[in-house]
Amino acid sequence: MSSAAAAQSQCSRETLDDIAAKYAEGQKQGSIFTLPVGEWVDYRENGELVSTAVGVIAQPSEFAWQLDVIDPGSCHVIVQGVILEPTPYVVTTQLAWTFNGLGQIRSTVIREGDPKFDAKKTFEYASKEDWGEIPEGQRNTRDELIAVANAYLDRMGGGDGTVALASNCDRIDNGAYVANCEPGTGPAFLKRELSVDVAKGTVAVVSNRGEDEGPQDARIFRIEGGKIRHVHAVAPSL
């Protein structure tokens, strides 16, 4: 097998789907070792290096609702999960897959005390949304999806430009439901890492607000027909 073919196999949708499932199982068991981790794994929560023995991943908890963003192009998996018990959390976790296993796991975590936090409401609202695969002939390209998501973040960070919003666009901000997606204005979204699931019309963005080492922020966009339909914000400093 050529190196190109091997790389494609390593980052196939099936492989990344399996990693998402193993991450969910690891969270359920409270153990990172259900995952194909390498000899050393960089595990971070909200930008801080955290021991896998004490982080959220170490607390046996089942996802009541889960969204997987599968990006073979970047070899990334993003999993957004809502935990209701024993301790409520909402997490958006980026898993970076390599030939040597998972080298980096980067979670954005919100919990009691964070602005507008409500895991139960997030579960209720998200469960009503459609994040399934879009029919092949109706999908936007990877570049189109990235452009739409970046335009929204640019505008929200104080820039100009048009944002493509569906007339029925809505969003969940840490658990608070908002019946429109008009971006407000706030600190810029810096050091953006984008993961794109073309089949689901979904873009997940992990960034830092305001400055390079500013608060970590995770946003997930559902884009249909070139327009944003849903936005999920998981942001400790919303």
Side-chain angles (χ1 to χ4, degrees):
M1 180 183 292
S2 70
S3 58
Q8 186 174 15
S9 173
Q10 286 287 331
C11 285
S12 69
R13 192 170 189 90
E14 293 74 18
T15 296
L16 299 179
D17 270 328
D18 183 60
I19 290 170
K22 287 177 177 174
Y23 169 69
E25 182 61 27
Q27 184 61 70
K28 182 178 179 180
Q29 293 184 22
S31 172
I32 200 170
F33 296 108
T34 63
L35 287 160
V37 293
E39 293 182 7
W40 185 81
V41 62
D42 184 308
Y43 177 76
R44 294 177 184 267
E45 292 182 359
N46 298 338
E48 300 295 327
L49 190 63
V50 175
S51 167
T52 57
V54 299
V56 174
I57 191 67
Q59 303 175 36
S61 313
E62 191 165 3
F63 289 137
W65 180 86
Q66 176 179 344
L67 169 65
D68 301 335
V69 180
I70 306 298
D71 186 0
S74 68
C75 272
H76 282 175
V77 180
I78 297 280
V79 177
Q80 185 171 88
V82 179
I83 296 170
L84 297 179
E85 53 186 25
T87 303
Y89 294 99
V90 179
V91 301
T92 300
T93 298
Q94 179 194 73
L95 303 112
W97 177 245
T98 71
F99 285 103
N100 297 317
L102 286 170
Q104 184 182 75
I105 300 175
R106 184 183 182 192
S107 286
T108 307
V109 180
I110 54 174
R111 48 173 62 84
E112 292 291 351
D114 287 326
K116 302 181 182 180
F117 175 79
D118 193 324
K120 185 176 180 181
K121 289 295 186 183
T122 299
F123 167 74
E124 291 174 359
Y125 298 139
S127 297
K128 298 174 184 177
E129 299 171 345
D130 180 7
W131 292 81
E133 292 194 5
I134 293 172
E136 218 168 314
Q138 300 174 27
R139 296 174 185 173
N140 288 103
T141 66
R142 181 184 183 89
D143 287 345
E144 288 169 342
L145 294 170
I146 289 172
V148 171
N150 272 331
Y152 185 96
L153 296 176
D154 289 346
R155 177 79 169 275
M156 194 171 178
D160 298 323
T162 302
V163 179
L165 301 176
S167 60
N168 57 346
C169 184
D170 55 15
R171 68 181 197 262
I172 303 173
D173 290 348
N174 281 7
Y177 177 79
V178 183
N180 71 78
C181 297
E182 288 297 331
T185 301
F189 295 82
L190 304 177
K191 295 174 67 176
R192 300 176 194 176
E193 290 192 31
L194 283 75
S195 301
V196 183
D197 190 328
V198 172
K200 293 180 181 175
T202 300
V203 181
V205 187
V206 180
S207 66
N208 296 85
R209 297 297 303 273
E211 53 189 42
D212 284 350
E213 302 306 322
Q216 189 164 296
D217 182 286
R219 310 266 163 164
I220 301 184
F221 300 88
R222 166 74 168 197
I223 299 166
E224 300 173 357
K227 296 183 179 182
I228 298 172
R229 175 65 181 87
H230 301 298
V231 184
H232 286 188
V234 174
S237 299
L238 186 67

